[in-house]
Amino acid sequence: MSMRVREAQRKDWEGICQVEQEAFSQPWTKDAVIRELMNIDLTMYYVLEDEQGVIWGYAGLWHVLDEGQITNIALRKACRDRGYGELLLRLLMEAAWKRGCSVIFLEVRFSNLPALHLYRKLGYTVVSVRKQYYTQPTEDAYVMSCEQKKYHWADK
Ligand SMILES: CC(C)(COP(=O)(O)OP(=O)(O)OC[C@H]1O[C@@H](n2cnc3c(N)ncnc32)[C@H](O)[C@@H]1OP(=O)(O)O)[C@@H](O)C(=O)NCCC(=O)NCCS
């Protein structure tokens, strides 16, 4: 299957909602997804799509001053652990550096080992802990950040 990553458009809301439902216990609603996609002064969203236009994953962030805040990154189960999460996150981060971010933050569940592995690989380190940040199930979050100058280009 040949995949590509491109900037998200409003019409992608349905594919993004399907990914959300497969990936998270409390998925974003249709309205929340559309609001994010339409808020282009603040947000950047990218989707992973196959030749048929089916959306397999997406990632996005908010850009405020020189800071980025990753809102979500998720893939459908069938295409995980094949390097697409890394590709999506790298393209999002590189677009964020170009747009003027110099540091990017994110939160991640303590138990989310695949995500933690990916973030560390790209240069993120833990800056703090948010107690009971997540619900269903309740869990603490690591807050992680990656400065542009610490972004790992190796293995590309
Ligand atoms: C987190 C997520 C986006 C990662 O994407 P992915 O395509 O599965 O990850 P990749 O294949 O790009 O892997 C990147 C690195 O993580 C590692 N990795 C992937 N799955 C792993 C797993 N289950 N356990 C440990 N490491 C894992 C890979 O081996 C790779 O590292 P390497 O190159 O050193 O081998 C994806 O698993 C996902 O959608 N999860 C559900 C939603 C989610 O939790 N989002 C994050 C919220 S903070």
Side-chain angles (χ1 to χ4, degrees):
M1 203 180 337
S2 139
M3 298 275 200
R4 67 165 181 151
V5 173
R6 61 162 174 82
E7 270 187 81
Q9 300 162 10
R10 189 182 192 282
K11 68 173 171 66
D12 298 322
W13 70 265
E14 204 165 0
I16 292 175
C17 282
Q18 284 164 2
V19 175
E20 275 283 302
Q21 272 158 17
E22 209 174 299
F24 298 113
S25 60
Q26 291 170 296
W28 281 354
T29 61
K30 169 185 172 184
D31 286 351
V33 170
I34 292 176
R35 255 198 320 275
E36 285 292 306
L37 293 176
M38 293 291 85
N39 193 1
I40 52 172
D41 289 339
L42 178 70
T43 68
M44 308 169 64
Y45 279 88
Y46 284 79
V47 290
L48 175 76
E49 143 186 284
D50 69 15
E51 305 114 312
Q52 269 87 48
V54 175
I55 298 209
W56 289 85
Y58 83 98
L61 60 68
W62 292 338
H63 173 206
V64 180
L65 302 175
D66 70 331
E67 290 186 5
Q69 168 74 42
I70 292 190
T71 53
N72 254 344
I73 172 165
L75 302 181
R76 285 169 174 255
K77 289 189 179 115
C79 71
R80 290 184 197 161
D81 208 5
R82 289 202 244 155
Y84 291 124
E86 180 174 342
L87 176 71
L88 198 51
L89 186 55
R90 281 193 188 278
L91 292 178
L92 177 69
M93 290 173 72
E94 284 162 25
W97 307 140
K98 277 207 188 102
R99 194 172 138 149
C101 292
S102 57
V103 58
I104 298 175
F105 290 88
L106 57 82
E107 282 98 17
V108 55
R109 281 182 185 269
F110 267 37
S111 64
N112 195 343
L113 299 183
L116 278 164
H117 186 102
L118 173 61
Y119 302 150
R120 288 204 177 100
K121 182 176 179 191
L122 268 56
Y124 286 85
T125 53
V126 173
V127 287
S128 62
V129 168
R130 293 219 166 102
K131 287 277 167 202
Q132 302 191 346
Y133 180 77
Y134 291 105
T135 54
Q136 290 184 19
T138 301
E139 194 172 351
D140 298 346
Y142 289 118
V143 179
M144 303 182 87
S145 74
C146 178
E147 290 174 43
Q148 185 175 10
K149 56 180 185 269
K150 295 198 179 142
Y151 172 58
H152 290 171
W153 292 83
D155 308 320
K156 279 185 72 179

